[in-house]
Amino acid sequence: MHELSIAMSIVDLAEEYAAKEEAQRVLEMEIEVGELSGVVTEALDFAMEEAVAGTLCEKARWKIIPIPGEVRCRACGHVFPSDSLFSDCPRCGQAGVELVRGNEMRLRSILVE
Ligand SMILES: [Zn+2]
């Protein structure tokens, strides 16, 4: 995934919200990033610095909140925490899991003025 385009879509969302609220600028943003989303938080953080330039978010602070990944074994249905979709089930040892949560990428909260 390309972190800069993600960062730009976050800034777009924030600006849309600010416009709707008739705000002058965005003060704070909280961004949730799932561990299984494929987004590298350090890269996203870096991309955000570029994406906010010249926007209402220019002076904003942001926080990137990692959401732990969770997967379910396709063989036995066991749900367990994991940071990979290619892990083996700790209960039955089978490979092959499906995502339960952790691929989200969203703007959790935003503060404008
Ligand atoms: Zn299993």
Side-chain angles (χ1 to χ4, degrees):
M1 236 188 253
H2 199 264
E3 278 77 8
L4 183 58
S5 63
I6 294 165
M8 286 168 82
S9 64
I10 290 167
V11 170
D12 274 356
L13 269 178
E15 286 208 294
E16 236 171 71
Y17 178 83
K20 212 162 59 188
E21 298 291 310
E22 293 175 12
Q24 300 307 306
R25 62 197 183 104
V26 176
L27 298 177
E28 271 178 41
M29 295 179 275
E30 282 187 337
I31 306 155
E32 286 184 346
V33 178
E35 278 182 354
L36 296 173
S37 64
V39 177
V40 180
T41 47
E42 291 78 15
L44 181 61
D45 198 40
F46 186 74
M48 282 296 290
E49 310 220 358
E50 202 174 321
V52 297
T55 73
L56 296 179
C57 303
E58 189 149 29
K59 298 275 185 333
R61 279 171 296 153
W62 61 85
K63 198 157 88 183
I64 297 174
I65 301 160
I67 304 297
E70 216 170 65
V71 297
R72 181 188 297 114
C73 173
R74 285 187 206 276
C76 74
H78 182 52
V79 174
F80 58 98
S82 174
D83 61 3
S84 162
L85 284 174
F86 301 99
S87 36
D88 296 339
C89 175
R91 191 156 85 180
C92 72
Q94 294 287 314
V97 295
E98 59 190 16
L99 180 85
V100 175
R101 70 180 182 128
N103 75 336
E104 51 274 270
M105 231 305 307
R106 65 189 190 100
L107 191 55
R108 175 156 95 181
S109 73
I110 174 170
L111 190 66
V112 296
E113 76 168 8

